[in-house]
Amino acid sequence: MGGPHPRSPRLEGGAEPSFLPPSSSVRTALGRCVPPSMQGNTKKMGVMTDVHRRFLQLLMTHGVLEECDIKRLQKHCYKVHDCNATIEKLEDFINNINSVLESLYIEIKKGVTEDDGRPIYALVNLATTSISKMASDFAENELDLFRKALELIIDSDTGFASSTNILNLVDQLKGKKMRKKEAEHVLQKFVQNKWLIEKEGEFTLHGRAILEMDQYIRETYPDAVKVCNICRGLLIQGQSCETCGIRMHLPCVAKYFQASSEPHCPHCNDYWPHEVPEVFNPEKERETGLSRSNKRSSRSRQH
């Protein structure tokens, strides 16, 4: 542990979310370093190893990562600090970190993306449920812009709000006046910080925002909030039954109707009229990624 460590892989961009306690505070709370020879006894000692520390610090940098990136990050941290150790099962590894973070009201939460069911992990602040989580990253008028975008998204049937509708509310923002051109840049800032997702000029909530603001949204918009009939989780975008009106996340639709040739609503049993999406398959995606990589390598050799 005396020499400099190799540089960590940069999985995605993004600065450390400033609504979280600074890295130094987290490091202090995690306790002193554990010698490599003792790092296999994490549970017995009830402390974090350098492997866990590096993992946590890098996750703080990104805010949210897909499961495949989380696993790569875990392997990297073992390689840097304890290359001879057996890599702990990811669930146990994260549970161990969460047990230490509990007193700081921080937690590594697992969720899935609403559009295709990819597992994601986000470091979330449990101490507050409001948009004030973002207060140190954005100005008052920028936060109000996010709040208005959120209201439009929650109130919509599709879970999306058009940039036009959001920008039309700029004159109603609190704090410093904002031009529409400035508001466009702020919306992109929300996208870069993984609070919003943009698709063809429309915005919806990023999985990170859903994990962070689940309770806030349920409490603030009780009459407009939508819940998935299968998992009971907060639903922003999904499918609904045209007869009884129940809603389901797209990944929940995919899993529920996976073996059904004629899907029927789980509530009223009427025919489900929507196209059933495919279930996310990480192995299939990995094979597709390898295939694309091999094709690129082949083309580069030909040139």
Side-chain angles (χ1 to χ4, degrees), residues 136-202:
S136 53
D137 283 339
F138 300 98
E140 181 186 5
N141 57 352
E142 294 175 335
L143 288 175
D144 202 34
L145 181 66
F146 182 86
R147 190 178 290 107
K148 292 190 181 303
L150 176 62
E151 289 173 0
L152 289 174
I153 290 168
I154 297 298
D155 285 338
S156 73
D157 289 330
T158 62
F160 283 85
S162 71
S163 58
T164 302
N165 288 342
I166 297 172
L167 295 175
N168 284 340
L169 299 175
V170 166
D171 293 338
Q172 303 174 24
L173 298 181
K174 297 176 183 176
K176 185 181 176 183
K177 294 281 186 182
M178 185 186 294
R179 296 189 182 92
K180 286 190 177 182
K181 199 69 179 175
E182 291 176 87
E184 289 176 356
H185 289 301
V186 174
L187 287 174
Q188 290 307 314
K189 195 174 168 184
F190 291 142
V191 172
Q192 291 164 11
N193 283 267
K194 301 170 189 173
W195 293 108
L196 295 178
I197 294 172
E198 182 183 13
K199 292 182 179 179
E200 299 177 354
E202 294 195 317

Side-chain angles (χ1 to χ4, degrees), residues 68 248 250 293:
C68 57
M248 294 163 64
L250 295 178
S293 177

Side-chain angles (χ1 to χ4, degrees), residues 48-64:
M48 300 271 282
T49 69
D50 284 343
V51 175
H52 297 90
R53 281 191 184 83
R54 178 170 284 263
F55 178 90
L56 177 59
Q57 289 164 359
L58 290 174
L59 181 56
M60 284 182 71
T61 300
H62 300 292
V64 59

Side-chain angles (χ1 to χ4, degrees), residues 9 33 35 74 92 107 185 278:
C33 294
Q74 184 193 25
D92 295 336
E107 181 182 347
H185 289 301
E278 287 187 18

Side-chain angles (χ1 to χ4, degrees), residues 279-296:
V279 176
F280 173 70
N281 186 333
E283 286 300 316
K284 183 178 178 181
E285 175 149 302
R286 189 179 68 83
E287 290 171 5
T288 303
L290 288 173
S291 175
R292 287 174 182 166
S293 177
N294 291 337
K295 285 180 181 178
R296 283 197 297 269

Side-chain angles (χ1 to χ4, degrees), residues 209-263:
I210 296 172
L211 285 173
E212 283 269 11
M213 298 182 177
D214 183 302
Q215 186 180 343
Y216 168 78
I217 291 171
R218 290 174 188 260
E219 292 175 353
T220 308
Y221 310 101
D223 297 328
V225 74
K226 305 171 188 73
V227 175
C228 176
N229 185 261
I230 300 299
C231 70
R232 308 310 300 172
L234 178 69
L235 184 147
I236 304 299
Q237 50 177 312
Q239 294 180 354
S240 62
C241 176
E242 294 180 354
T243 303
C244 68
I246 65 121
R247 295 175 182 268
M248 294 163 64
H249 288 123
L250 295 178
C252 292
V253 169
K255 289 179 182 177
Y256 188 82
F257 294 134
Q258 190 173 10
S260 302
S261 56
E262 290 191 7

